[in-house]
Amino acid sequence: MPFKRTLQILKDPRTPRKHLENYDLDIIAAFGEFVGTVIHLLLGLGTYQAYQTNAAIYSTSPSTATHDDTSAARMIGFFYTAVGFGFSLAASASVFFRFTGSIFNPSVAFALMLTGAMQPLRFILCAACQIVGGITASAILDGLTPGGLDVAVQLQAGTNRTQGLFIEMFSTCALTLAVLMLSVEKHAATPTAPFSLALTLTALILWSIQFTGASINVARAFGPAVIQGVFPNYHWIYWLGPTLGSLLAVTFYLLFKRVHYWQITPAADATDPNLSAVRRWG
């Protein structure tokens, strides 16, 4: 039976595999991505919901707050959200890193498929589960918190569609390239990839949340939109932008591989003191 064959492969990775024989493993990986995406987005969106709830409470209460006070509170809220998403990714990615690779993002999965790090069938299954995970996380958050869910992404501060599209594209490109260079490429820093990627996501949210809401993830944009029933006529930028960002990241990655980037600064992650450029005197 296929499942027994899968168990045999799990016990002995050297077992020869036939074409598409990994579909059982692909289903398991997709389920892991579903669970990981739910955890990541539940925690990340939860921080944004907490900020929105706090802002709503104080905006409906009598206050003598000035415009400067309100602006400062908003920026602190953005920082709170960015750090929350970063912590969420660091925690969830650390748990699932050796299981599924901690992708949690269809655009990143798309890049992995294009580079050959993921097979097409696994990409389709994982991307679908990630999107469903985004909807599930939003539904859970909507049921757990008072008031209506208010975490959907939208263009803000006068940002037009073209600007929003390219902000999402370059943000996703940066995150995807970090995944390719830190996780797909194996080196001494690979085990710390979850924390490095968390810092990358935090930095990207800090700069883009004011303008696009900082989606950088189709699942993050689509899930809340489904639960809140909010689909602005520019919602497509949260699909096209990350997709273009993945393509751009893959282009950079393949270019780096083409020029043998690891030869530019050889042994950069080495721990052998004999390879130090400057040695201690005496």
Side-chain angles (χ1 to χ4, degrees), residues 2 40 42 61 119 123 125 206 219 239:
H40 167 51
L42 179 61
S61 300
Q119 295 301 311
F123 160 69
L125 294 175
L206 282 173
W239 291 73

Side-chain angles (χ1 to χ4, degrees), residues 3-256:
F3 187 70
K4 291 183 178 179
R5 177 69 170 171
T6 300
L7 292 178
Q8 181 181 356
I9 293 175
L10 289 173
K11 291 179 180 179
D12 186 2
R14 296 171 297 179
T15 303
R17 305 180 186 183
K18 300 178 182 178
H19 183 60
L20 292 180
E21 193 175 41
N22 293 334
Y23 71 89
D24 280 350
L25 300 180
D26 293 335
I27 293 174
I28 295 173
F31 176 72
E33 278 296 300
F34 168 76
V35 176
T37 302
V38 170
I39 294 174
H40 167 51
L41 291 182
L42 179 61
L43 298 178
L45 293 174
T47 60
Y48 194 26
Q49 178 74 355
Y51 157 61
Q52 294 285 57
T53 301
N54 181 269
I57 292 174
Y58 285 96
S59 66
T60 57
S61 300
S63 174
T64 58
T66 64
H67 171 74
D68 291 339
D69 293 333
T70 304
S71 177
R74 184 173 175 80
M75 293 305 295
I76 292 174
F78 286 159
F79 181 79
Y80 177 82
T81 302
V83 172
F85 265 98
F87 281 3
S88 171
L89 182 59
S92 54
S94 296
V95 173
F96 289 87
F97 189 58
R98 296 179 62 247
F99 178 8
T100 68
S102 301
I103 308 169
F104 311 151
N105 188 325
S107 299
V108 174
F110 181 53
L112 296 180
M113 184 195 69
L114 293 178
T115 57
M118 176 182 288
Q119 295 301 311
L121 176 60
R122 181 169 296 193
F123 160 69
I124 294 172
L125 294 175
C126 285
C129 285
Q130 289 159 357
I131 292 174
V132 174
I135 298 173
T136 303
S138 300
I140 293 174
L141 185 61
D142 186 35
L144 292 179
T145 55
L149 189 66
D150 188 16
V151 295
V153 289
Q154 59 183 336
L155 297 179
Q156 306 173 79
T159 306
N160 61 43
R161 297 180 185 182
T162 302
Q163 292 171 327
L165 174 67
F166 282 99
I167 288 174
E168 286 294 312
M169 182 188 78
F170 286 117
S171 296
T172 306
C173 173
L175 179 62
T176 304
L177 187 60
V179 172
L180 293 173
M181 298 299 290
L182 292 173
S183 297
V184 176
E185 292 291 290
K186 304 305 178 184
H187 44 76
T190 297
T192 64
F195 304 99
S196 300
L197 296 175
L199 290 175
T200 302
L201 180 63
T202 300
L204 292 171
I205 293 177
L206 282 173
W207 92 270
S208 63
I209 190 172
Q210 174 71 73
F211 307 106
T212 68
S215 170
I216 321 175
N217 185 339
V218 172
R220 184 264 177 268
F222 187 67
V226 170
I227 300 303
Q228 293 182 219
V230 177
F231 285 93
N233 55 15
Y234 54 78
H235 182 76
W236 56 270
I237 72 172
Y238 296 109
W239 291 73
L240 181 59
T243 302
L244 293 176
S246 292
L247 292 173
L248 184 60
V250 169
T251 301
F252 282 131
Y253 175 70
L254 294 179
L255 177 62
F256 295 161

